[in-house]
């Protein structure tokens, strides 16, 4: 189960999305995670979610994407953040 209010708060802090998300739409993804397109005004963000145990895998993927982007050899999207959603009591 996804804790969208917390996830959206973290994304807003990390990449400066303003306003409320107008939609959260599931998109095709891999077998170990779920993927979503979040629209907020004129902004769109791709989000991957998985079990907390896969956080290190997400960190490694983010590092690899940042290194590919710095190489300027192929077009790579910006990576804004990785983290764990915490349920609020």
């Amino acid at each position: 189960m996804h804790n969208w209010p917390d996830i959206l708060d973290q994304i807003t802090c990390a990449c400066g999305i303003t306003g409320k998300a107008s939609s959260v739409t599931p998109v095709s993804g891999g077998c170990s995670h779920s993927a979503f397109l979040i629209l907020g005004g004129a902004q769109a963000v791709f989000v991957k979610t998985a079990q907390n145990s896969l956080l290190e895998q997400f960190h490694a993927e983010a590092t690899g994407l940042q290194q590919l982007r710095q190489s300027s050899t192929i077009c790579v999207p910006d990576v804004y953040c990785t983290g764990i959603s915490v349920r609020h009591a």
Side-chain angles (χ1 to χ4, degrees):
M1 183 174 189
H2 296 94
N3 183 8
W4 285 114
D6 186 52
I7 293 169
L8 294 171
D9 284 348
Q10 290 182 41
I11 292 169
T12 298
C13 290
C15 58
I17 291 178
T18 56
K20 300 284 183 187
S22 57
S23 68
V24 177
T25 307
V27 296
S28 305
C31 59
S32 64
H33 66 271
S34 299
F36 301 89
L37 177 63
I38 298 176
L39 299 177
Q43 298 166 306
V45 177
F46 174 76
V47 176
K48 288 173 58 173
T49 63
Q51 297 295 321
N52 291 349
S53 62
L54 295 177
L55 182 60
E56 287 304 314
Q57 177 183 329
F58 276 28
H59 285 312
E61 182 178 356
T63 298
L65 288 169
Q66 290 165 346
Q67 290 173 346
L68 281 171
R69 185 173 181 77
Q70 290 172 354
S71 75
S72 300
T73 55
I74 60 173
C75 183
V76 178
D78 288 321
V79 176
Y80 292 106
C81 62
T82 59
I84 294 176
S85 172
V86 180
R87 294 191 187 278
H88 297 289

